Every structure is written in C-alpha cells, then in structure tokens.
Amino acid sequence: MTTDALPSRSDLAGRLTDAAQAVAGILAAEYDAPTSRSYLAPLLGPLSAGPRVVGELNERLEDLLDEPLPTTPVGLFAVASYASALGWLTESLAELTAAVDAICTRTGLPTLEPVERAVPAPGEDEEGFDFCFNDVETAAIRAAADAAGLEPDAYVDVLVGALRAATAITDACMEISSGLIEDAQYIVEEATSEVRIGEGPGSLPTLVRSLLARLETPQ
C-alpha cells in the first residue's frame, strides 16, 4: 500500500531487524527426516523454511519500494542492505537445494559392492571433518545405514556431505542476519542524513561490503 510519508529512520531499522530475525529463524526450523533418509536431517529444516522466508522478505521489499521509493541516503542505504540480504539468501538456498539434490542422486545409485564394508577408519576428509567413532557410534551408524539401505561407508559419506552443506547455510544465515543487525544499528545510532557512499566502514551496507570482499578474494 502506497503512503504519502517516507519511511522513518526507526521504521527502516525495524524492517532490517525483522529481516535479520527471519533469516536467523531458518536455522531454528525443524523438519523430521524419515528413517530411510536420516542423513538429510541436518538440511531439511533450513530447506523447508528457507523458501518461505525468501518469499516473505521479497514481499516486504516490494512493499518498501512502494511506500514510495526511499530517495534519502538513509533510505537508499536500507534498501541496499535489504536487497543484498535477499539476494545472498536466495543464492545460498539455491546452493543448499543443489547439495540436497546431489546427495539424493548419489544415494539412488546402485551399490556396486553389496558385501558389507567397514565404517571408515578414524581420520579426516579433505574438508576438515573428523572421523573418529567409538563402538557405540559405529553401531549407530551401521543401524542408520541399514535403515537407509546404504553401506556404512556410503552412509558416512553422504552424511558428511549433508553436514558440509548445513555448515554452509548456517554460516550464510548468520552472516546475513548479523549484517542486517549492524546496518539497522548504524541507521539508528550513527547515520546522519548524509550517509557516505565511498570508502570507510559506514559508506556501504555491511552485506554489500561483505559481498564485494568475497568477489575480490581469490577463489
């Protein structure tokens, strides 16, 4: 709904704070994984809640742009922060979806060696996940693998993939949420009507600066 008045500074900060809470809430979402897909348990909560949050944030951004479009430096700062958060979250959820799809595809492949193989020996994979199982954990892995129709080492492999993807979406949501909070605090506590666009910690929204830094960092 269009209004005649521009959003106030406190209103803009409140919208960023609400968005931060919505993004953080993705990590608290729960979705029970069936026993046959227990290796997906770390991912199903964010996978179920993420698209809803993206839809809500997109609607709120559209509402903000219709109120009318903020033209003050502070207003444009807030819009840039909000849009950056939405874009980053959308990309992160796309990566999560791709990871889940890859895991599902992998577990659907036929088992080439039907004989039982041992759970991987203690060690560390290339991504830094430790493998060190005691007897109780080994028994639990065997039981979960059997329920999922996988060999124990294959189960561990897809579970590690799920944990890696869960770590990625957790890091993204935490960075997005904290960035929105920082920008909200800046708008309320420090920003003047002359928000700077250039060098310096207050020149661009936190998430914009984070995205630019990621682009400049060699992969």
Side-chain angles (χ1 to χ4, degrees):
M1 181 176 67
T2 301
T3 62
D4 295 332
L6 290 171
S8 67
R9 181 177 299 188
S10 61
D11 179 53
L12 292 171
R15 293 176 192 233
L16 295 186
T17 300
D18 289 344
Q21 293 172 344
V23 173
I26 292 174
L27 302 179
E30 296 182 356
Y31 192 99
D32 291 334
T35 303
S36 61
R37 295 291 183 268
S38 58
Y39 47 83
L40 291 176
L43 305 179
L44 295 185
L47 187 66
S48 64
R52 173 183 53 78
V53 173
V54 167
E56 292 175 354
L57 296 188
N58 187 64
E59 290 180 0
R60 295 177 191 176
L61 179 59
E62 291 178 352
D63 289 342
L64 177 60
L65 296 178
D66 286 340
E67 288 192 355
L69 176 66
T71 56
T72 64
V74 172
L76 294 175
F77 183 95
V79 170
S81 176
Y82 207 111
S84 297
L86 180 57
W88 192 335
L89 179 61
T90 301
E91 179 182 0
S92 297
L93 288 172
E95 293 172 353
L96 175 64
T97 301
V100 172
D101 183 65
I103 290 171
C104 291
T105 299
R106 189 164 188 171
T107 56
L109 296 176
T111 302
L112 298 179
E113 301 178 24
V115 296
E116 182 174 310
R117 290 173 288 175
V119 172
E124 186 175 277
D125 77 345
E126 68 278 5
E127 296 292 337
F129 285 88
D130 291 323
F131 295 128
C132 187
F133 306 118
N134 58 35
D135 291 343
V136 174
E137 291 167 336
T138 298
I141 289 171
R142 290 189 184 282
D146 183 65
L150 298 172
E151 299 297 331
D153 59 344
Y155 183 89
V156 170
D157 184 57
V158 294
L159 178 59
V160 168
L163 292 172
R164 188 178 299 126
T167 298
I169 191 63
T170 296
D171 290 346
C173 287
M174 291 179 65
E175 189 164 1
I176 292 168
S177 180
S178 63
L180 287 166
I181 291 295
E182 288 181 22
D183 288 343
Q185 292 174 340
Y186 174 73
I187 287 174
V188 171
E189 298 174 2
E190 300 181 29
T192 66
S193 60
E194 297 180 355
V195 173
R196 300 178 304 280
I197 302 297
E199 299 295 332
S203 61
L204 290 172
T206 302
L207 295 180
V208 174
R209 286 184 278 114
S210 296
L211 289 169
L212 291 175
R214 286 160 64 96
L215 292 174
E216 293 172 358
T217 301
Q219 298 298 319

